[in-house]
Amino acid sequence: MLSNIRIVLINTFHPGNVGAIARAMKNMGLTNLYLVDPNDYPSEEATSRAAGAVDLLDNATIVPTLKEAIADCSLVIGTSARHRTFQLPIMNARECAETVIPEAKQHNVAIVFGREKTGLLNDEIAQCHRQVYIDANDEYPVLNISQAVQIVAYEIWMANQHKDFAEQETPDYPHRKDMDLFYEHLEETLYGINFVVRNHPGKVLEKLHRFFNRSRPEKQELGILRGVLAAVQREAGLTEANNHPEKKAKDALKDNNQKN
Amino acid sequence: MLSNIRIVLINTFHPGNVGAIARAMKNMGLTNLYLVDPNDYPSEEATSRAAGAVDLLDNATIVPTLKEAIADCSLVIGTSARHRTFQLPIMNARECAETVIPEAKQHNVAIVFGREKTGLLNDEIAQCHRQVYIDANDEYPVLNISQAVQIVAYEIWMANQHKDFAEQETPDYPHRKDMDLFYEHLEETLYGINFVVRNHPGKVLEKLHRFFNRSRPEKQELGILRGVLAAVQREAGLTEANNHPEKKAKDALKDNNQKN
C-alpha cells in the first residue's frame, strides 16, 4: 500500500536535501520518489546524505514537469504553509495521513513539495486536489524540506501502523491526466461559446479548475461532464471547427467504460 | 511551558546536524538546547543550517558532561532504537510528548540524544528515567539525528496544541543531582556494610540504579530513603569512617525540606 504513495519534489536546489529525503522516506517505509527537474543532480552530496537509502535514489523517477509526475495519480496533495490558502481543502499532516492511507489501497497518491525557498507556484497548486500543512510555531513555521517530508512520512507510517479505519471502498477516481483532458475540453467549449474570450480569459478558468479539483469528480461523473461538453459543442455548431472535440469526448467515454 | 523542555545532544560529530536541530526545535516552539562536548563547534556549517534559528545556537548551553546538562532536571528521557531496552520503561514519541507536557508545567525535563553513529552509552542510559523511540520501518529504522529531534519536537508541539490533559498536579520530584547524591550515599553504605565489595562490585549497583531510575522516587521519598541509609551507617558504626555521611544525609533532608 505504501508503494502507491509517491513523494514528488519540484526543482530541489540542494542535492543534500534529496539524499536526506530518501533516508527519511525509507525510515518510514516509503519507496517511491519522483524528482521534477532537480538542480545539480545526481550528486555525491545526495548519495552521502541518503546513507542506507541509496536504493531510493537509484530507483527515483526524474521527469521534466509536475504534470508527468502526477499523470497516473488519483489524488494529488500539495504542501503549503498553514495560512496560505488557495481555496483548496486544507488539512494538517495527521489528517493528510488518515486521508491518504485508505486511498492508497487502490489508487496512486502524490504528495508534492515545492522549492526550498519559494514552495509551490500557483499553477502547481492548481494541479492539486488538496493542501497539507505541518503544525508548527507561528513565529517560525518554515521547516527545512527534508524535515517536512520526514513529518509527513512519519504520520503516514503511524496512520498505517495504528490504523483502525473502517474497510471502506474509495470511489473510482479518474487519473490526473484524464482531468487534464477534461480541462482542455472545458476550455475549448467555453471559448467556443464565447463565455471566455481567448485573449482575455480573466480568472474564470482558474476558478473552474479550483472548483473541479476541490470537488474531485469520480470517473463516471467526469465521463458525464464530458458528455455535456460534447453536447454543448454540437448544439453550438462547434464540432467541425474545433478539431472534432465531440469525437474526442466519445473516445474518452469509451475509454472510461473499458476501464470500468 | 515549552521552555522547561531541553534537548540535550551528546558529542555531536557533524556541526551541520546541530544547526538543523536548532531550526527543527524552533519550528516546534522549543528553545532550550544543551550541547555536551560537541565536535567541531561552533561552526559556519551549523550557523548556515540553523537558518532563522541562530538565536538558539547563540543561547545554547555547552557543558563537558551529561551529568551537568541534566543536574536540575526532574525527568530525563533517553532516545534509543525501539528494540534496544535497558529495563527502563519505553515509549514512542507520541507517548513521550503526552508524558512530557504535563510535567514540564512545573519541572525541567531533558530529552537526550546520543552520538550520530553509536547513540547513548550504557552509563548515559543509566542516568535516564525513561526511554523514547521513534516508530519506524523495521528494515531501516535509524533516523538522522536532526530528523529524530524533529519528530520528537513535533509530537511535543502537537501534544501541547491539542492537549486535553486533565489539569493534574505532578508529584514533586527530586532533581537529577539529588538522585546522584542519593546514589553516592547508597553506594557508600553498601560498601560499608560489605553488601558490595568495592573492587568487585558486579552488577548489583547497576541494577539498583535502574530500579530507582525506573521507580522515580518523589522528593520526600528520597529524603526518607536517605534517612534510612544514614540510620544504617550509624548502626553499623560507619559514621566517622566515611566522611560523615550521616551529616550529609541530614543536610540533604534539611535542604529538601527548605525547598518544599
Side-chain angles (χ1 to χ4, degrees):
Chain A
M1 182 196 315
L2 294 182
S3 64
N4 287 342
I5 302 171
R6 74 185 60 167
I7 299 293
V8 180
L9 308 178
I10 300 183
N11 290 166
T12 44
F13 184 78
H14 295 292
N17 282 333
V18 178
I21 286 167
R23 179 172 177 179
M25 288 173 61
K26 188 167 177 177
N27 285 150
M28 298 300 153
L30 298 181
T31 53
N32 206 344
L33 176 61
Y34 276 64
L35 304 174
V36 177
D37 188 24
N39 180 47
D40 189 16
Y41 186 88
S43 100
E44 277 180 29
E45 175 73 5
T47 306
S48 154
R49 294 276 296 278
V54 174
D55 54 323
L56 263 74
L57 296 183
D58 292 343
N59 295 324
T61 306
I62 304 183
V63 289
T65 66
L66 172 60
K67 193 169 172 174
E68 288 157 273
I70 60 177
D72 60 342
C73 292
S74 304
L75 175 60
V76 181
I77 302 174
T79 50
S80 70
R82 179 174 192 165
H83 298 296
R84 188 178 166 196
T85 82
F86 297 86
Q87 300 173 293
L88 285 178
I90 191 162
M91 48 197 174
N92 71 16
R94 193 158 294 172
E95 295 158 342
C96 171
E98 288 161 8
T99 301
V100 159
I101 290 294
E103 293 233 1
K105 277 187 207 161
Q106 297 159 275
H107 306 296
N108 291 325
V109 176
I111 305 176
V112 184
F113 292 80
R115 296 146 197 83
E116 283 96 331
K117 294 254 182 209
T118 51
L120 293 174
L121 305 176
N122 284 350
D123 78 303
E124 290 158 352
I125 286 277
Q127 296 176 63
C128 298
H129 301 100
R130 298 285 182 271
Q131 282 182 93
V132 58
Y133 69 91
I134 292 169
D135 281 282
N137 180 5
D138 279 339
E139 288 168 23
Y140 185 52
V142 181
L143 280 69
N144 167 277
I145 187 174
S146 75
Q147 307 282 21
V149 173
Q150 181 74 70
I151 287 177
V152 168
Y154 165 73
E155 287 286 13
I156 288 172
W157 178 263
M158 290 292 278
N160 193 43
Q161 291 299 105
H162 304 283
K163 63 174 175 287
D164 49 1
F165 302 110
E167 287 294 321
Q168 67 208 24
E169 283 283 303
T170 25
D172 205 6
Y173 288 117
H175 286 177
R176 186 67 234 180
K177 65 174 179 291
D178 300 318
M179 287 298 288
D180 289 336
L181 291 174
F182 164 71
Y183 287 127
E184 282 175 28
H185 195 170
L186 177 68
E187 288 173 27
E188 277 173 18
T189 309
L190 296 181
Y191 291 135
I193 62 172
N194 297 311
F195 180 77
V196 181
V197 180
R198 201 176 285 272
N199 295 327
H200 302 284
K203 291 278 185 190
V204 170
L205 291 176
E206 201 179 311
K207 287 181 177 173
L208 285 169
H209 271 246
R210 280 179 186 159
F211 166 72
F212 283 110
N213 281 342
R214 197 173 64 241
S215 56
R216 288 194 80 195
E218 296 176 16
K219 203 183 259 189
Q220 197 174 41
E221 293 165 343
L222 197 71
I224 294 167
L225 291 171
R226 295 203 59 182
V228 171
L229 293 176
V232 169
Q233 290 180 311
R234 189 182 60 233
E235 291 305 304
L238 302 167
T239 314
E240 292 303 307
N242 276 304
N243 196 23
H244 300 289
E246 186 180 17
K247 181 174 175 304
K248 280 160 71 181
K250 277 188 187 150
D251 290 349
L253 266 172
K254 202 161 55 184
D255 205 40
N256 261 328
N257 290 335
Q258 281 167 353
K259 281 182 198 154
N260 283 338
Chain B
M1 182 198 314
L2 294 181
S3 64
N4 286 342
I5 301 171
R6 74 186 60 167
I7 298 295
V8 180
L9 308 178
I10 301 183
N11 290 164
T12 43
F13 184 78
H14 295 291
N17 282 333
V18 178
I21 286 167
R23 179 172 178 179
M25 288 173 61
K26 188 167 177 179
N27 284 150
M28 298 300 153
L30 298 180
T31 53
N32 207 344
L33 176 61
Y34 277 64
L35 303 174
V36 178
D37 189 24
N39 180 46
D40 189 16
Y41 187 88
S43 101
E44 278 180 29
E45 174 73 3
T47 306
S48 156
R49 294 275 297 277
V54 174
D55 54 322
L56 263 75
L57 296 183
D58 292 342
N59 295 325
T61 307
I62 303 182
V63 291
T65 65
L66 173 61
K67 192 169 172 171
E68 287 156 275
I70 61 178
D72 60 344
C73 291
S74 303
L75 175 60
V76 181
I77 301 174
T79 51
S80 69
R82 179 173 192 166
H83 298 295
R84 186 177 168 196
T85 83
F86 298 85
Q87 300 172 294
L88 285 178
I90 190 163
M91 49 197 173
N92 70 18
R94 193 159 293 171
E95 295 158 343
C96 171
E98 288 161 6
T99 302
V100 160
I101 290 295
E103 293 233 4
K105 278 186 209 161
Q106 296 160 278
H107 307 298
N108 291 325
V109 175
I111 305 177
V112 184
F113 292 80
R115 296 147 198 83
E116 284 96 329
K117 294 256 184 210
T118 52
L120 292 173
L121 305 175
N122 283 349
D123 80 302
E124 290 158 352
I125 286 279
Q127 297 176 62
C128 298
H129 300 102
R130 297 286 182 270
Q131 282 181 94
V132 58
Y133 69 91
I134 291 169
D135 282 282
N137 179 7
D138 280 339
E139 287 168 25
Y140 186 52
V142 182
L143 279 69
N144 167 277
I145 187 173
S146 76
Q147 306 283 20
V149 172
Q150 181 73 72
I151 286 178
V152 167
Y154 165 73
E155 286 286 15
I156 287 171
W157 178 262
M158 289 292 279
N160 193 41
Q161 291 299 106
H162 304 283
K163 61 175 176 286
D164 48 0
F165 303 110
E167 288 295 322
Q168 66 207 21
E169 283 283 305
T170 25
D172 206 5
Y173 289 117
H175 286 176
R176 186 66 236 180
K177 64 175 181 290
D178 300 317
M179 287 298 288
D180 288 337
L181 291 173
F182 165 71
Y183 287 128
E184 281 175 30
H185 196 172
L186 178 68
E187 287 172 29
E188 277 174 18
T189 309
L190 296 181
Y191 290 136
I193 62 172
N194 297 312
F195 180 77
V196 180
V197 180
R198 203 175 285 271
N199 295 328
H200 303 284
K203 291 278 184 189
V204 169
L205 291 176
E206 200 179 313
K207 287 180 178 175
L208 285 168
H209 271 247
R210 281 179 186 161
F211 166 73
F212 284 110
N213 280 342
R214 199 173 61 239
S215 57
R216 290 193 79 193
E218 296 175 16
K219 202 182 260 188
Q220 196 174 43
E221 292 166 344
L222 196 72
I224 294 167
L225 290 171
R226 293 203 60 179
V228 171
L229 292 176
V232 168
Q233 289 179 312
R234 188 182 60 236
E235 290 307 304
L238 301 168
T239 314
E240 293 302 311
N242 275 307
N243 194 24
H244 300 289
E246 185 180 18
K247 179 171 177 304
K248 281 160 69 181
K250 279 187 186 151
D251 290 347
L253 266 172
K254 201 162 52 183
D255 206 39
N256 261 328
N257 290 335
Q258 281 166 350
K259 282 181 197 155
N260 283 338

